[in-house]
Amino acid sequence: MKDGMSGFSERIRCRLALLLVLLLVSVTAWAAAPQAYMKFEVTIDPSVRTEAADGRVLLLLSRTDRFDPGPTGTPVFGLNVDGLKPGVKAIVDEKAVGHPVRSLRDIPPGEYFVQAWLNVYTTFRRGDGKVVKLHQDQGEGQNWRRSPGNLYSEPKKVTFEKAKGATVPVVLNKVVPPIPPYEDTKWLKHVRIQSRLLTEFWGRPMYLGANVLLPKGYVEHPDVRYPVHYVQGHFPRGRAGRFSEDETSPSFKLWTADGAPRFIQVTFEHACPYYDDSYGVNSDNAGPYGDALTAELIPHIEKTFRAIGEPWARVLSGGSTGGWISLALQIFYPDMFGGVWSFCPDPVDFRKYQIVDLYGDNNAYYIDGEWTRVPRGGERRTDGNLVYTMEQENLYEEATGDRYRSGGQWAIWNAVFAPVAEDGYPKAFWDPLTGEIDKAAVEWARERYDLRVYLEKNWPAIGPKLAGKIRVYVGRMDNFYLNEACYLLEASLAAATDPPYGGEFRYGDRGAHGWSPFQGDEMLRAMAAHIEKNAPPSAKKDWVY
């Protein structure tokens, strides 16, 4: 009996082993076989475009008929196309780069709405010999969902089934219409000039624009010349700051009040092929925007609109992107401007590039420990909770435009601050997929665009021209951690001697991005007082009325 049971058990073990081998063979064969996933055939309708197009096809998926792509938004998948002719299929499949879902093969089965876009690229044959394909701004401020000439499809509902490997046709049958031209008003005037410097750099006509807000009494005082307040920031779309011509609005009442400081106020429109503004400085990737603004646009504005046209009568302000631009313009062109009010500026010290130490860290996305890997925040709420991580924001930009063609924040930072790679696009500070930092690219940028390093190195020459001109304001809970670099810049400037920097840094406890200590017209009055204090004795000061 014992021997019989032993034989039966042996037969069971053999059968189980055979079944296990067959199962392993089946699984291996399944894994090796090509898997069927949904894919999309995107074509251009000849009725909306007759010529071939270069660009980035973007496929959006959503569980509703609303699409909200972003670092934590609805999935977007990107595919480059070159010379895509109307009617020819561009295949968006599992190889397309996606975010927040990396591949179409990772989309779970279900019902979705789908929409496709084509962000059209222009070929630039640059003055440095490089040939690149980028989206040329069409007056919208470098936004692929608003840019005239870009194509898109009507949303359609699809059933996503991996096993069937179905192909879904998507037709780009809509085109973003042109933006209506600006219309001048009593208060607001618009300027547009072709830049010789930028045209030579980009190899095609390039333009600069400005929105000019005139002070109360400008027409009634034809012999008066005025100081100018240059307000920096993102693409202003025809606006000069927050001014509203509605006579009941707070901004109108502030600007036209009796006794209010009389300035000309100007915003620049300098969208470039990488972003909705150029960051206002000279760059190997973006072009000589600093020289173009200071040597071409500003002289044209001041001649046209009766500005005083002297450094002591030019002041700068701006927040975030505009905070960095205004501060950089003051620092790089110390003989051009008489003072800056910079709010929550983008990274002014690359030891806190948001919260990455470009010089000391090895990875921009993670803090690596012996047993852990902690993701770095990209945006936080003022209560400390994360909105998204550095990796999520960078991967979203990589999906919408590789080679830093997303039109996003990291695209322009790399375009402005980093050197040019062999292929003509930015040699980025880090690998966009892994976050591994390129120390050579960072070192190249150190003395060029790290404002703290630039100031320390050049203080003996430029310090006397900057003393008393630098003011920085930022919240201690800035959503993008920009206060951290400001602390380092303040410490560096506080140590400056011969001369002392003579400016100020102010911080708002629990202040978010955009925090300001000023109410109403307090900043304008502070600017007016600063201008009058620094005006030469011979100045007429007839703008005070």
Side-chain angles (χ1 to χ4, degrees), residues 292-308:
L293 292 172
T294 57
E296 296 178 330
L297 184 59
I298 288 177
H300 177 83
I301 291 168
E302 296 188 342
K303 180 179 178 181
T304 304
F305 294 100
R306 302 201 322 263
I308 292 170

Side-chain angles (χ1 to χ4, degrees), residues 240-257:
R242 299 180 181 273
F243 179 77
S244 168
E245 294 194 50
D246 177 357
E247 295 189 9
T248 65
S249 72
S251 64
F252 184 90
K253 292 179 179 179
L254 176 64
W255 190 251
T256 59

Side-chain angles (χ1 to χ4, degrees), residues 468-489:
K469 293 183 177 181
I470 294 174
R471 297 164 181 79
V472 178
Y473 310 97
V474 62
R476 294 190 185 276
M477 284 298 292
D478 185 275
N479 301 87
F480 304 99
Y481 309 93
L482 299 175
N483 53 304
E484 296 296 329
C486 290
Y487 299 147
L488 298 177
L489 179 61

Side-chain angles (χ1 to χ4, degrees), residues 44-54 84 86 118 120 149 151:
I44 298 172
D45 189 327
S47 68
V48 297
R49 186 181 174 101
T50 57
E51 66 271 22
D54 300 329
L84 181 65
L118 176 61
V120 177
L151 308 179

Side-chain angles (χ1 to χ4, degrees), residues 264-482:
I264 295 172
Q265 185 161 286
V266 177
T267 57
F268 297 144
E269 291 191 357
H270 49 122
C272 75
Y274 284 102
Y275 197 50
D276 75 348
D277 65 73
S278 68
Y279 269 62
V281 294
N282 296 342
S283 161
D284 284 12
N285 286 293
Y289 275 91
D291 289 349
L293 292 172
T294 57
E296 296 178 330
L297 184 59
I298 288 177
H300 177 83
I301 291 168
E302 296 188 342
K303 180 179 178 181
T304 304
F305 294 100
R306 302 201 322 263
I308 292 170
E310 297 290 340
W312 56 267
R314 299 185 188 108
V315 290
L316 295 152
S317 76
S320 190
T321 289
W324 194 93
I325 296 172
S326 58
L327 191 56
L329 283 172
Q330 180 66 76
I331 291 170
F332 292 149
Y333 298 90
D335 293 316
M336 183 83 179
F337 301 100
V340 59
W341 282 252
S342 172
F343 297 83
C344 51
D346 286 347
V348 294
D349 186 321
F350 288 177
R351 292 174 296 176
K352 286 295 183 181
Y353 199 71
Q354 292 203 168
I355 51 173
V356 179
D357 181 350
L358 290 179
Y359 308 125
D361 292 331
N362 293 318
N363 192 288
Y365 299 161
Y366 293 94
I367 301 171
D368 289 315
E370 182 179 1
W371 301 102
T372 60
R373 200 166 208 224
V374 180
R376 297 183 196 273
E379 181 181 352
R380 63 179 173 180
R381 299 190 181 97
T382 54
D383 64 3
N385 279 300
L386 287 186
V387 178
Y388 51 75
T389 67
M390 288 275 290
E391 182 182 41
Q392 288 171 327
E393 187 178 18
N394 278 263
L395 291 181
Y396 167 69
E397 289 199 22
E398 182 69 8
T400 52
D402 66 344
R403 294 188 177 93
Y404 300 94
R405 294 182 286 189
S406 66
Q409 187 68 75
W410 298 102
I412 187 60
W413 283 1
N414 279 285
V416 172
F417 302 148
V420 180
E422 190 62 33
D423 64 2
Y425 298 94
K427 188 179 188 300
F429 284 166
W430 58 72
D431 185 305
L433 298 180
T434 68
E436 292 300 311
I437 295 173
D438 183 336
K439 297 298 184 180
V442 170
E443 190 59 33
W444 181 91
R446 181 195 294 262
E447 293 186 358
R448 291 173 170 87
Y449 299 107
D450 183 325
L451 298 185
R452 186 265 311 172
V453 173
Y454 183 89
L455 284 166
E456 288 180 352
K457 179 182 178 182
N458 296 285
W459 191 255
I462 64 176
K465 304 173 183 180
L466 292 174
K469 293 183 177 181
I470 294 174
R471 297 164 181 79
V472 178
Y473 310 97
V474 62
R476 294 190 185 276
M477 284 298 292
D478 185 275
N479 301 87
F480 304 99
Y481 309 93
L482 299 175

